[in-house]
mmCIF file of all heavy atoms in Angstrom:
data_model
loop_
_atom_site.group_PDB
_atom_site.id
_atom_site.type_symbol
_atom_site.label_atom_id
_atom_site.label_comp_id
_atom_site.label_asym_id
_atom_site.label_seq_id
_atom_site.Cartn_x
_atom_site.Cartn_y
_atom_site.Cartn_z
ATOM 1 N N PHE A 1 0.923 -1.091 -17.445
ATOM 2 C CA PHE A 1 0.613 -1.667 -16.142
ATOM 3 C C PHE A 1 0.653 -0.635 -15.025
ATOM 4 O O PHE A 1 1.745 0.085 -14.989
ATOM 5 C CB PHE A 1 1.568 -2.826 -15.805
ATOM 6 C CG PHE A 1 1.237 -3.693 -14.564
ATOM 7 C CD1 PHE A 1 0.312 -4.694 -14.637
ATOM 8 C CD2 PHE A 1 1.829 -3.326 -13.345
ATOM 9 C CE1 PHE A 1 0.072 -5.395 -13.464
ATOM 10 C CE2 PHE A 1 1.558 -4.058 -12.241
ATOM 11 C CZ PHE A 1 0.693 -5.097 -12.262
ATOM 12 N N CYS A 2 -0.269 -0.503 -14.160
ATOM 13 C CA CYS A 2 -0.206 0.522 -13.146
ATOM 14 C C CYS A 2 -0.903 0.036 -11.884
ATOM 15 O O CYS A 2 -1.401 0.840 -11.053
ATOM 16 C CB CYS A 2 -0.809 1.849 -13.589
ATOM 17 S SG CYS A 2 -2.534 1.742 -14.052
ATOM 18 N N THR A 3 -1.007 -1.270 -11.628
ATOM 19 C CA THR A 3 -1.753 -1.884 -10.458
ATOM 20 C C THR A 3 -0.823 -1.964 -9.314
ATOM 21 O O THR A 3 0.377 -2.168 -9.402
ATOM 22 C CB THR A 3 -2.261 -3.216 -10.879
ATOM 23 O OG1 THR A 3 -2.979 -3.126 -12.009
ATOM 24 C CG2 THR A 3 -3.103 -3.824 -9.764
ATOM 25 N N ASP A 4 -1.345 -1.790 -8.128
ATOM 26 C CA ASP A 4 -0.611 -1.936 -6.887
ATOM 27 C C ASP A 4 -0.484 -3.460 -6.621
ATOM 28 O O ASP A 4 -1.509 -4.182 -6.362
ATOM 29 C CB ASP A 4 -1.380 -1.290 -5.739
ATOM 30 C CG ASP A 4 -0.609 -1.309 -4.368
ATOM 31 O OD1 ASP A 4 0.289 -2.139 -4.296
ATOM 32 O OD2 ASP A 4 -0.968 -0.603 -3.495
ATOM 33 N N VAL A 5 0.753 -3.930 -6.629
ATOM 34 C CA VAL A 5 0.985 -5.359 -6.492
ATOM 35 C C VAL A 5 2.017 -5.676 -5.406
ATOM 36 O O VAL A 5 2.635 -6.745 -5.445
ATOM 37 C CB VAL A 5 1.452 -5.967 -7.857
ATOM 38 C CG1 VAL A 5 0.274 -6.101 -8.782
ATOM 39 C CG2 VAL A 5 2.561 -5.231 -8.456
ATOM 40 N N TYR A 6 2.231 -4.794 -4.461
ATOM 41 C CA TYR A 6 3.149 -5.026 -3.362
ATOM 42 C C TYR A 6 2.806 -6.334 -2.617
ATOM 43 O O TYR A 6 1.634 -6.706 -2.466
ATOM 44 C CB TYR A 6 3.041 -3.904 -2.368
ATOM 45 C CG TYR A 6 3.639 -2.574 -2.931
ATOM 46 C CD1 TYR A 6 2.821 -1.399 -2.966
ATOM 47 C CD2 TYR A 6 4.902 -2.463 -3.423
ATOM 48 C CE1 TYR A 6 3.310 -0.207 -3.479
ATOM 49 C CE2 TYR A 6 5.361 -1.275 -3.996
ATOM 50 C CZ TYR A 6 4.591 -0.228 -3.990
ATOM 51 O OH TYR A 6 5.053 0.991 -4.562
ATOM 52 N N ASP A 7 3.834 -7.094 -2.280
ATOM 53 C CA ASP A 7 3.829 -8.381 -1.551
ATOM 54 C C ASP A 7 3.424 -9.514 -2.386
ATOM 55 O O ASP A 7 3.360 -10.635 -1.929
ATOM 56 C CB ASP A 7 2.889 -8.290 -0.300
ATOM 57 C CG ASP A 7 3.482 -7.300 0.702
ATOM 58 O OD1 ASP A 7 4.680 -7.230 0.848
ATOM 59 O OD2 ASP A 7 2.660 -6.640 1.390
ATOM 60 N N LYS A 8 3.071 -9.297 -3.709
ATOM 61 C CA LYS A 8 2.813 -10.405 -4.564
ATOM 62 C C LYS A 8 4.124 -10.878 -5.200
ATOM 63 O O LYS A 8 5.139 -10.186 -5.213
ATOM 64 C CB LYS A 8 1.927 -9.970 -5.721
ATOM 65 C CG LYS A 8 0.497 -9.667 -5.246
ATOM 66 C CD LYS A 8 -0.505 -9.399 -6.373
ATOM 67 C CE LYS A 8 -1.950 -9.252 -5.793
ATOM 68 N NZ LYS A 8 -2.914 -9.108 -6.911
ATOM 69 N N THR A 9 4.071 -12.163 -5.671
ATOM 70 C CA THR A 9 5.299 -12.729 -6.283
ATOM 71 C C THR A 9 5.333 -12.581 -7.722
ATOM 72 O O THR A 9 4.305 -12.814 -8.415
ATOM 73 C CB THR A 9 5.376 -14.189 -5.908
ATOM 74 O OG1 THR A 9 5.503 -14.347 -4.520
ATOM 75 C CG2 THR A 9 6.597 -14.903 -6.551
ATOM 76 N N ALA A 10 6.478 -12.148 -8.245
ATOM 77 C CA ALA A 10 6.615 -11.988 -9.645
ATOM 78 C C ALA A 10 7.893 -12.671 -10.195
ATOM 79 O O ALA A 10 8.770 -12.962 -9.410
ATOM 80 C CB ALA A 10 6.746 -10.457 -10.009
ATOM 81 N N ARG A 11 7.790 -13.097 -11.414
ATOM 82 C CA ARG A 11 8.935 -13.684 -12.127
ATOM 83 C C ARG A 11 9.402 -12.773 -13.262
ATOM 84 O O ARG A 11 8.555 -12.504 -14.145
ATOM 85 C CB ARG A 11 8.566 -15.059 -12.642
ATOM 86 C CG ARG A 11 9.503 -15.838 -13.415
ATOM 87 C CD ARG A 11 9.034 -17.203 -13.611
ATOM 88 N NE ARG A 11 9.812 -17.976 -14.565
ATOM 89 C CZ ARG A 11 9.879 -19.352 -14.646
ATOM 90 N NH1 ARG A 11 9.040 -20.030 -13.846
ATOM 91 N NH2 ARG A 11 10.539 -19.968 -15.505
ATOM 92 N N VAL A 12 10.597 -12.388 -13.198
ATOM 93 C CA VAL A 12 11.196 -11.465 -14.182
ATOM 94 C C VAL A 12 12.235 -12.182 -15.047
ATOM 95 O O VAL A 12 13.238 -12.597 -14.467
ATOM 96 C CB VAL A 12 11.766 -10.187 -13.538
ATOM 97 C CG1 VAL A 12 12.355 -9.336 -14.604
ATOM 98 C CG2 VAL A 12 10.696 -9.411 -12.750
ATOM 99 N N GLU A 13 11.966 -12.412 -16.288
ATOM 100 C CA GLU A 13 12.873 -13.109 -17.206
ATOM 101 C C GLU A 13 13.633 -12.123 -17.985
ATOM 102 O O GLU A 13 13.019 -11.158 -18.543
ATOM 103 C CB GLU A 13 12.157 -14.033 -18.120
ATOM 104 C CG GLU A 13 11.320 -15.095 -17.421
ATOM 105 C CD GLU A 13 10.534 -16.014 -18.450
ATOM 106 O OE1 GLU A 13 10.345 -15.603 -19.589
ATOM 107 O OE2 GLU A 13 10.136 -17.089 -17.980
ATOM 108 N N LEU A 14 14.950 -12.275 -18.066
ATOM 109 C CA LEU A 14 15.765 -11.401 -18.759
ATOM 110 C C LEU A 14 16.044 -11.951 -20.174
ATOM 111 O O LEU A 14 16.461 -13.032 -20.356
ATOM 112 C CB LEU A 14 17.117 -11.200 -18.113
ATOM 113 C CG LEU A 14 17.109 -10.710 -16.674
ATOM 114 C CD1 LEU A 14 18.451 -10.378 -16.155
ATOM 115 C CD2 LEU A 14 16.206 -9.451 -16.544
ATOM 116 N N LEU A 15 15.708 -11.120 -21.237
ATOM 117 C CA LEU A 15 15.748 -11.553 -22.605
ATOM 118 C C LEU A 15 16.888 -11.018 -23.407
ATOM 119 O O LEU A 15 17.452 -11.592 -24.265
ATOM 120 C CB LEU A 15 14.438 -11.194 -23.331
ATOM 121 C CG LEU A 15 13.189 -11.685 -22.654
ATOM 122 C CD1 LEU A 15 11.963 -11.124 -23.481
ATOM 123 C CD2 LEU A 15 13.122 -13.134 -22.508
ATOM 124 N N HIS A 16 17.269 -9.736 -23.101
ATOM 125 C CA HIS A 16 18.290 -9.079 -23.985
ATOM 126 C C HIS A 16 18.925 -7.987 -23.082
ATOM 127 O O HIS A 16 18.222 -7.187 -22.490
ATOM 128 C CB HIS A 16 17.598 -8.523 -25.199
ATOM 129 C CG HIS A 16 18.543 -7.708 -26.072
ATOM 130 N ND1 HIS A 16 19.518 -8.315 -26.831
ATOM 131 C CD2 HIS A 16 18.521 -6.387 -26.303
ATOM 132 C CE1 HIS A 16 20.139 -7.332 -27.500
ATOM 133 N NE2 HIS A 16 19.610 -6.183 -27.173
ATOM 134 N N PHE A 17 20.251 -7.777 -23.215
ATOM 135 C CA PHE A 17 20.985 -6.748 -22.579
ATOM 136 C C PHE A 17 20.976 -5.505 -23.494
ATOM 137 O O PHE A 17 21.303 -5.548 -24.629
ATOM 138 C CB PHE A 17 22.414 -7.134 -22.305
ATOM 139 C CG PHE A 17 23.316 -6.172 -21.729
ATOM 140 C CD1 PHE A 17 23.176 -5.840 -20.392
ATOM 141 C CD2 PHE A 17 24.171 -5.439 -22.498
ATOM 142 C CE1 PHE A 17 24.010 -4.878 -19.809
ATOM 143 C CE2 PHE A 17 24.992 -4.466 -21.915
ATOM 144 C CZ PHE A 17 24.926 -4.173 -20.532
ATOM 145 N N GLU A 18 20.517 -4.369 -22.942
ATOM 146 C CA GLU A 18 20.391 -3.171 -23.678
ATOM 147 C C GLU A 18 21.702 -2.252 -23.425
ATOM 148 O O GLU A 18 22.417 -1.906 -24.333
ATOM 149 C CB GLU A 18 19.211 -2.359 -23.336
ATOM 150 C CG GLU A 18 19.185 -1.075 -24.160
ATOM 151 C CD GLU A 18 18.206 -0.008 -23.591
ATOM 152 O OE1 GLU A 18 17.444 -0.316 -22.711
ATOM 153 O OE2 GLU A 18 18.326 1.136 -24.078
ATOM 154 N N ARG A 19 21.925 -1.961 -22.117
ATOM 155 C CA ARG A 19 23.101 -1.056 -21.818
ATOM 156 C C ARG A 19 23.475 -1.286 -20.374
ATOM 157 O O ARG A 19 22.692 -1.798 -19.570
ATOM 158 C CB ARG A 19 22.659 0.448 -22.049
ATOM 159 C CG ARG A 19 21.558 0.850 -21.092
ATOM 160 C CD ARG A 19 21.306 2.362 -21.042
ATOM 161 N NE ARG A 19 20.132 2.763 -20.259
ATOM 162 C CZ ARG A 19 20.200 2.985 -18.901
ATOM 163 N NH1 ARG A 19 21.462 2.854 -18.253
ATOM 164 N NH2 ARG A 19 19.172 3.311 -18.197
ATOM 165 N N PRO A 20 24.797 -0.834 -19.957
ATOM 166 C CA PRO A 20 25.108 -0.927 -18.646
ATOM 167 C C PRO A 20 24.457 0.050 -17.726
ATOM 168 O O PRO A 20 23.950 1.101 -18.236
ATOM 169 C CB PRO A 20 26.666 -0.698 -18.667
ATOM 170 C CG PRO A 20 26.784 0.112 -19.917
ATOM 171 C CD PRO A 20 25.728 -0.316 -20.944
ATOM 172 N N GLU A 21 24.432 -0.190 -16.467
ATOM 173 C CA GLU A 21 23.930 0.779 -15.506
ATOM 174 C C GLU A 21 24.747 2.071 -15.448
ATOM 175 O O GLU A 21 26.018 1.911 -15.505
ATOM 176 C CB GLU A 21 23.795 0.151 -14.095
ATOM 177 C CG GLU A 21 23.070 1.043 -13.032
ATOM 178 C CD GLU A 21 22.945 0.388 -11.717
ATOM 179 O OE1 GLU A 21 23.956 -0.127 -11.182
ATOM 180 O OE2 GLU A 21 21.832 0.439 -11.251
ATOM 181 N N MET A 22 24.069 3.166 -15.420
ATOM 182 C CA MET A 22 24.883 4.475 -15.460
ATOM 183 C C MET A 22 24.384 5.399 -14.401
ATOM 184 O O MET A 22 23.223 5.314 -13.975
ATOM 185 C CB MET A 22 24.678 5.156 -16.911
ATOM 186 C CG MET A 22 25.198 4.280 -18.019
ATOM 187 S SD MET A 22 25.017 5.168 -19.637
ATOM 188 C CE MET A 22 23.242 5.036 -19.846
ATOM 189 N N LYS A 23 25.299 6.223 -13.979
ATOM 190 C CA LYS A 23 24.901 7.322 -13.053
ATOM 191 C C LYS A 23 24.742 8.585 -13.820
ATOM 192 O O LYS A 23 25.592 9.070 -14.590
ATOM 193 C CB LYS A 23 25.972 7.499 -11.898
ATOM 194 C CG LYS A 23 25.629 8.479 -10.954
ATOM 195 C CD LYS A 23 26.635 8.615 -9.838
ATOM 196 C CE LYS A 23 26.220 9.616 -8.743
ATOM 197 N NZ LYS A 23 27.138 9.633 -7.576
ATOM 198 N N PHE A 24 23.576 9.211 -13.640
ATOM 199 C CA PHE A 24 23.233 10.430 -14.401
ATOM 200 C C PHE A 24 23.385 11.632 -13.487
ATOM 201 O O PHE A 24 23.348 11.555 -12.204
ATOM 202 C CB PHE A 24 21.781 10.378 -14.911
ATOM 203 C CG PHE A 24 21.553 9.309 -15.898
ATOM 204 C CD1 PHE A 24 21.059 8.053 -15.507
ATOM 205 C CD2 PHE A 24 21.913 9.452 -17.224
ATOM 206 C CE1 PHE A 24 20.882 7.003 -16.402
ATOM 207 C CE2 PHE A 24 21.737 8.376 -18.138
ATOM 208 C CZ PHE A 24 21.199 7.210 -17.694
ATOM 209 N N GLU A 25 23.616 12.832 -14.038
ATOM 210 C CA GLU A 25 23.783 14.056 -13.211
ATOM 211 C C GLU A 25 22.558 14.480 -12.438
ATOM 212 O O GLU A 25 22.645 15.105 -11.436
ATOM 213 C CB GLU A 25 24.271 15.156 -14.126
ATOM 214 C CG GLU A 25 25.650 14.976 -14.727
ATOM 215 C CD GLU A 25 26.198 16.140 -15.586
ATOM 216 O OE1 GLU A 25 25.410 17.178 -15.633
ATOM 217 O OE2 GLU A 25 27.233 16.056 -16.093
ATOM 218 N N GLY A 26 21.387 14.122 -12.970
ATOM 219 C CA GLY A 26 20.147 14.447 -12.347
ATOM 220 C C GLY A 26 18.960 13.627 -12.827
ATOM 221 O O GLY A 26 19.034 12.821 -13.781
ATOM 222 N N ILE A 27 17.804 13.989 -12.211
ATOM 223 C CA ILE A 27 16.594 13.204 -12.564
ATOM 224 C C ILE A 27 16.166 13.420 -13.953
ATOM 225 O O ILE A 27 15.607 12.542 -14.639
ATOM 226 C CB ILE A 27 15.512 13.618 -11.582
ATOM 227 C CG1 ILE A 27 15.735 13.171 -10.149
ATOM 228 C CG2 ILE A 27 14.149 13.010 -11.989
ATOM 229 C CD1 ILE A 27 15.911 11.638 -10.000
ATOM 230 N N GLU A 28 16.328 14.647 -14.573
ATOM 231 C CA GLU A 28 15.904 14.863 -15.913
ATOM 232 C C GLU A 28 16.641 14.085 -16.897
ATOM 233 O O GLU A 28 16.051 13.499 -17.887
ATOM 234 C CB GLU A 28 16.089 16.348 -16.218
ATOM 235 C CG GLU A 28 15.129 17.337 -15.523
ATOM 236 C CD GLU A 28 13.615 16.877 -15.768
ATOM 237 O OE1 GLU A 28 13.310 16.645 -16.960
ATOM 238 O OE2 GLU A 28 12.867 16.805 -14.799
ATOM 239 N N GLN A 29 17.940 13.953 -16.663
ATOM 240 C CA GLN A 29 18.742 13.047 -17.506
ATOM 241 C C GLN A 29 18.272 11.612 -17.428
ATOM 242 O O GLN A 29 18.191 10.878 -18.448
ATOM 243 C CB GLN A 29 20.245 13.132 -17.284
ATOM 244 C CG GLN A 29 20.946 14.393 -17.826
ATOM 245 C CD GLN A 29 22.410 14.199 -17.776
ATOM 246 O OE1 GLN A 29 22.953 13.369 -17.068
ATOM 247 N NE2 GLN A 29 23.141 15.115 -18.490
ATOM 248 N N LEU A 30 17.999 11.191 -16.213
ATOM 249 C CA LEU A 30 17.459 9.874 -15.972
ATOM 250 C C LEU A 30 16.175 9.591 -16.706
ATOM 251 O O LEU A 30 15.959 8.595 -17.320
ATOM 252 C CB LEU A 30 17.291 9.559 -14.502
ATOM 253 C CG LEU A 30 16.633 8.279 -14.073
ATOM 254 C CD1 LEU A 30 17.493 7.177 -14.548
ATOM 255 C CD2 LEU A 30 16.457 8.235 -12.534
ATOM 256 N N LYS A 31 15.263 10.562 -16.675
ATOM 257 C CA LYS A 31 14.014 10.447 -17.346
ATOM 258 C C LYS A 31 14.122 10.329 -18.824
ATOM 259 O O LYS A 31 13.425 9.527 -19.454
ATOM 260 C CB LYS A 31 13.077 11.710 -17.041
ATOM 261 C CG LYS A 31 12.578 11.732 -15.622
ATOM 262 C CD LYS A 31 11.897 13.079 -15.318
ATOM 263 C CE LYS A 31 10.637 13.329 -16.204
ATOM 264 N NZ LYS A 31 9.921 14.597 -15.849
ATOM 265 N N LEU A 32 15.015 11.146 -19.406
ATOM 266 C CA LEU A 32 15.321 11.014 -20.801
ATOM 267 C C LEU A 32 15.815 9.659 -21.247
ATOM 268 O O LEU A 32 15.401 9.039 -22.214
ATOM 269 C CB LEU A 32 16.257 12.091 -21.264
ATOM 270 C CG LEU A 32 15.809 13.509 -21.359
ATOM 271 C CD1 LEU A 32 16.971 14.489 -21.569
ATOM 272 C CD2 LEU A 32 14.675 13.730 -22.363
ATOM 273 N N GLN A 33 16.771 9.092 -20.464
ATOM 274 C CA GLN A 33 17.279 7.789 -20.709
ATOM 275 C C GLN A 33 16.265 6.709 -20.522
ATOM 276 O O GLN A 33 16.126 5.765 -21.328
ATOM 277 C CB GLN A 33 18.477 7.496 -19.888
ATOM 278 C CG GLN A 33 19.184 6.202 -20.147
ATOM 279 C CD GLN A 33 19.653 6.101 -21.669
ATOM 280 O OE1 GLN A 33 20.412 6.940 -22.114
ATOM 281 N NE2 GLN A 33 19.180 5.017 -22.386
ATOM 282 N N LEU A 34 15.373 6.848 -19.517
ATOM 283 C CA LEU A 34 14.352 5.780 -19.318
ATOM 284 C C LEU A 34 13.349 5.801 -20.447
ATOM 285 O O LEU A 34 12.881 4.749 -20.867
ATOM 286 C CB LEU A 34 13.594 6.140 -17.986
ATOM 287 C CG LEU A 34 14.295 5.804 -16.717
ATOM 288 C CD1 LEU A 34 13.506 6.341 -15.484
ATOM 289 C CD2 LEU A 34 14.551 4.350 -16.575
ATOM 290 N N ALA A 35 13.033 7.012 -21.052
ATOM 291 C CA ALA A 35 12.148 7.024 -22.155
ATOM 292 C C ALA A 35 12.761 6.231 -23.351
ATOM 293 O O ALA A 35 12.067 5.550 -24.079
ATOM 294 C CB ALA A 35 11.840 8.452 -22.524
ATOM 295 N N LYS A 36 14.087 6.481 -23.542
ATOM 296 C CA LYS A 36 14.775 5.752 -24.595
ATOM 297 C C LYS A 36 14.807 4.197 -24.331
ATOM 298 O O LYS A 36 14.587 3.450 -25.258
ATOM 299 C CB LYS A 36 16.199 6.204 -24.744
ATOM 300 C CG LYS A 36 16.389 7.660 -25.217
ATOM 301 C CD LYS A 36 17.836 8.117 -25.274
ATOM 302 C CE LYS A 36 17.954 9.521 -25.680
ATOM 303 N NZ LYS A 36 19.376 9.952 -25.663
ATOM 304 N N ASP A 37 15.002 3.875 -23.089
ATOM 305 C CA ASP A 37 15.042 2.424 -22.757
ATOM 306 C C ASP A 37 13.655 1.795 -23.079
ATOM 307 O O ASP A 37 13.611 0.661 -23.588
ATOM 308 C CB ASP A 37 15.385 2.250 -21.223
ATOM 309 C CG ASP A 37 16.773 2.620 -20.951
ATOM 310 O OD1 ASP A 37 17.615 2.732 -21.742
ATOM 311 O OD2 ASP A 37 17.036 3.001 -19.682
#
């Protein structure tokens, strides 16, 4: 999905907990974790 949908209404259902929110040392570490997520 890559459509511009600002100001539209969305419903986000949570199905499963993967991991707690974490603070990373930098953007590169964040990118690696996002890819895993």
Side-chain angles (χ1 to χ4, degrees):
F1 187 85
C2 59
T3 306
D4 185 342
V5 287
Y6 293 121
D7 293 327
K8 292 189 176 183
T9 296
R11 174 170 172 162
V12 177
E13 298 180 342
L14 304 186
L15 306 178
H16 175 74
F17 178 78
E18 181 200 347
R19 64 171 177 84
E21 186 175 51
M22 297 183 287
K23 183 174 182 178
F24 299 95
E25 293 182 3
I27 294 298
E28 288 305 313
Q29 280 194 347
L30 175 61
K31 287 172 63 176
L32 288 173
Q33 184 59 56
L34 285 175
K36 293 179 182 178
D37 295 337

